[in-house]
Amino acid sequence: MAVDIDWDLLRVKAIEVMHHAYAPYSDFQVGVAGLVDDGRVVVGCNVENASYGLGLCAECGMVSQLHSTGGGTLVAVWCVDRNGDSLMPCGRCRQLLWENGGPSMLLQTPSGVKTMTEVLPDAFGVEDLTTR
Ligand code: THU
């Protein structure tokens, strides 16, 4: 299903959810919004923990909402910092986005819109699980 990408809406939603971030340890609030192939918009914010290594990136929350509200494939994603500026997802989260958006998913980055193939070249994916 082809959906129109409303980038302005994604940025607004990402900023909105960023204000709900729980980041008392890093004081680095992150919000992310993603358009799903059925037109839904899913969001997430980072949630840290006193046991520092257990902190959840904003993308984890967004992917959880993706599945808990019916699944589907991410078409376009915008991740922002506390200033509303585009934020590059960390390496682990690029892998999450690859799993749930695939190679053609579009990502808003500090240097413009890029495909997942551009931001995670030679990605590991389900096709690599040849011994299953
Ligand atoms: N963070 C995210 O939520 N997403 C990213 O892609 C990069 C990093 C969070 C994790 C931590 O709570 C804070 O930003 C500082 O690293």
Side-chain angles (χ1 to χ4, degrees):
M1 189 195 303
V3 282
D4 287 334
I5 301 171
D6 185 343
W7 285 111
D8 291 339
L9 176 70
L10 287 182
R11 181 161 182 266
V12 166
K13 292 278 184 192
I15 291 172
E16 207 172 83
V17 71
M18 176 270 296
H19 289 294
H20 295 286
Y22 176 69
Y25 306 109
S26 70
D27 197 29
F28 190 85
Q29 293 81 11
V30 180
V32 64
L35 174 67
V36 187
D37 61 346
D38 65 0
R40 273 152 53 231
V41 172
V42 288
V43 298
C45 59
N46 55 334
V47 178
E48 298 183 347
N49 194 287
S51 179
Y52 297 163
L54 299 184
L56 302 173
C57 282
E59 294 87 337
C60 298
M62 179 184 71
V63 165
S64 180
Q65 189 177 106
L66 169 72
H67 288 280
S68 62
T69 59
T73 301
L74 293 169
V75 173
V77 167
W78 200 332
C79 187
V80 301
D81 64 17
R82 70 195 301 175
N83 301 313
D85 294 328
S86 301
L87 183 72
M88 208 58 207
C90 73
R92 178 183 181 279
C93 289
R94 291 183 208 187
Q95 186 70 31
L96 283 185
L97 295 176
W98 181 271
E99 180 80 21
N100 293 283
S104 61
M105 192 208 89
L106 299 176
L107 179 70
Q108 191 72 236
T109 80
S111 49
V113 176
K114 294 187 174 171
T115 64
M116 280 310 297
T117 306
E118 290 175 284
V119 300
L120 193 64
D122 301 321
F124 174 85
V126 63
E127 315 75 33
D128 295 301
L129 298 176
T130 51
T131 56
R132 279 202 305 175

